[in-house]
Amino acid sequence: MSHAEGVDLAVLTGLEGRDAFVSRHIGPDEADIAAMLRVGWTKSTILGQLIAAVWWTAFSLLAGATNAYANCTMSHVADIPITLYQNKLFLPITMNGTVQKLAMDTGAGSTVLSTATARRLNIPRDFDHTVEMFGVGGTDNHLYSARVERMEFAGLHFDDWHLAIADFNMLLADGADMGGLLGADILSQFDIDLDIPRRTAGFWRVSGCMQVTPPWTTSTSELKLQRIGLYHVALQIGVDGVPVQVVLDTGAPGLVLTELEAARAGASPESLQNGRPITGRGVNDGIYIGHMHVFRHVSVGRAFYDEVITQVVPRARFQNFGGLLGAAFLLQHRVWLSYATNTLFVQNAPAAPGP
């Protein structure tokens, strides 16, 4: 159970937890005040700091998306409907004049087109060029590419765009083939206002900003992100008190850790072997085998979760990070993924469900 009551933690994975994103502090907390007093700050000075902090926060909220730099610009490009199906977030993208639904996958370094979609749209493979990728199911996969004459997404146009082609064994609710993955090579060109409870994603173009504030009227928690490579963003979480760096991956269902990080967090080889075995499939049908394990406590920023069921996979499944933080941790809150400033904002209050 969670330290806060009321909302399921991980609907996609069937985990039993509760929402626990703690409201962001406005100004210093009790520990900060005690420290100020120890170094000789007066109570009137502390009160002034608190008033200033509250005033500045209110000003930022009223101003919307703001920044201290005059050359910072933010423009809203589009609100795009999300289709949630079998643990995937599908967004429409136009290819050669035809709308396809691709799974939004911040963990995929490149956008990938399914073999069936390429065949249906008469997009020929380019056997002279390959695309190097890595995913949960394998590393350094060399996939043949295809040249799409024109793609359109969120107000951007991509002409003569080379995409990797891979097989995906998945059908959508209407019986159509999964179109592919919309990867971070395209997603990272935006700041994304992701409101999964209301099934919408807002895309913003951000330029010249060192700091942004989402144009929301509710309080937020702010988590710093670290770039890994060109497109992936990672954050530090706590697993049974051990810090672990994980990639934010909307294509993953919940929490995934490597065997190495699971062991660092206290999972013994015996406990892992006794866990329920799992078999997964990654890019280009790469197969991985792992086990389920329950960690007592997981913290994401100021959010705390208890008894978190976790997929533990071989270390070779990832490069330069310890695991994945998937869509299950984003389901109950509106979040703002700022690629421009490497920041993740989380709305503290659970987002209201859509109509």
Side-chain angles (χ1 to χ4, degrees):
M1 299 293 292
S2 160
H3 302 311
E5 295 297 329
V7 183
D8 287 341
L9 160 67
V11 175
L12 290 183
T13 55
L15 310 185
E16 292 208 0
R18 301 277 189 237
D19 166 70
F21 281 108
V22 179
S23 299
R24 182 182 183 181
H25 289 297
I26 300 179
D29 58 19
E30 294 179 0
D32 294 328
I33 293 175
M36 292 175 184
L37 291 174
R38 285 197 298 272
V39 297
W41 285 42
T42 66
K43 290 185 178 180
S44 60
T45 302
I46 296 172
L47 179 61
Q49 292 289 319
L50 288 169
I51 293 174
V54 171
W55 181 89
W56 177 251
T57 300
F59 174 80
S60 297
L61 290 174
L62 290 174
T66 60
N67 185 63
Y69 297 86
N71 63 344
C72 170
T73 60
M74 294 185 64
S75 58
H76 179 244
V77 177
D79 287 323
I80 297 178
I82 296 172
T83 300
L84 182 62
Y85 181 70
Q86 290 191 3
N87 303 357
K88 302 290 184 183
L89 311 175
F90 287 92
L91 300 176
I93 183 169
T94 302
M95 295 184 177
N96 293 348
T98 302
V99 176
Q100 304 295 320
K101 286 187 177 181
L102 272 64
M104 177 182 176
D105 193 344
T106 59
S110 301
T111 296
V112 184
L113 192 63
S114 74
T115 302
T117 299
R119 186 181 301 115
R120 185 171 59 253
L121 299 181
N122 294 318
I123 299 175
R125 292 195 183 192
D126 183 355
F127 292 100
D128 295 327
H129 299 87
T130 59
V131 178
E132 183 177 283
M133 295 187 61
F134 71 91
V136 175
T139 59
D140 296 330
N141 293 300
H142 292 269
L143 309 178
Y144 287 113
S145 67
R147 185 179 67 85
V148 179
E149 293 181 3
R150 186 174 180 83
M151 289 197 314
E152 301 174 37
F153 178 74
L156 293 184
H157 303 279
F158 306 88
D159 295 323
D160 294 324
W161 194 263
H162 285 265
L163 300 178
I165 293 183
D167 293 329
F168 295 97
N169 298 320
M170 180 177 181
L171 296 178
L172 304 184
D174 58 3
D177 295 310
M178 175 178 171
L181 304 177
L182 184 61
D185 55 339
I186 293 178
L187 295 171
S188 63
Q189 300 186 44
F190 304 91
D191 270 25
I192 305 172
D193 183 357
L194 186 59
D195 193 347
I196 299 178
R198 295 188 63 85
R199 305 293 192 267
T200 61
F203 288 82
W204 294 67
R205 297 287 282 173
V206 179
S207 176
C209 302
M210 299 297 293
Q211 179 181 350
V212 297
T213 301
W216 302 340
T217 57
T218 56
S219 63
T220 62
S221 296
E222 181 178 332
L223 304 175
K224 295 306 295 181
L225 302 174
Q226 178 183 346
R227 284 294 181 107
I228 296 181
L230 289 176
Y231 302 121
H232 292 111
V233 289
L235 66 157
Q236 183 173 287
I237 66 172
V239 181
D240 282 351
V242 175
V244 178
Q245 187 181 53
V246 294
V247 164
L248 183 65
D249 183 1
T250 57
L255 181 60
V256 184
L257 295 180
T258 65
E259 292 173 346
L260 176 63
E261 296 302 321
R264 288 183 57 243
S268 67
E270 294 78 13
S271 65
L272 292 179
Q273 290 300 319
N274 291 333
R276 179 168 62 87
I278 57 172
T279 301
R281 188 179 300 275
V283 175
N284 206 25
D285 281 347
I287 302 295
Y288 66 91
I289 299 175
H291 294 83
M292 304 301 289
H293 184 79
V294 178
F295 288 99
R296 292 173 299 170
H297 307 294
V298 172
S299 60
V300 183
R302 295 183 179 180
F304 298 89
Y305 306 93
D306 295 337
E307 305 300 320
V308 176
I309 302 174
T310 305
Q311 295 184 26
V312 180
V313 300
R315 179 182 181 183
R317 297 306 94 189
F318 304 111
Q319 295 180 348
N320 304 321
F321 52 91
L324 307 173
L325 187 67
F329 289 84
L330 307 176
L331 282 180
Q332 306 301 332
H333 293 266
R334 186 180 184 181
V335 302
W336 181 289
L337 173 56
S338 177
Y339 280 105
T341 64
N342 295 322
T343 310
L344 180 69
F345 298 91
V346 181
Q347 192 176 62
N348 286 324

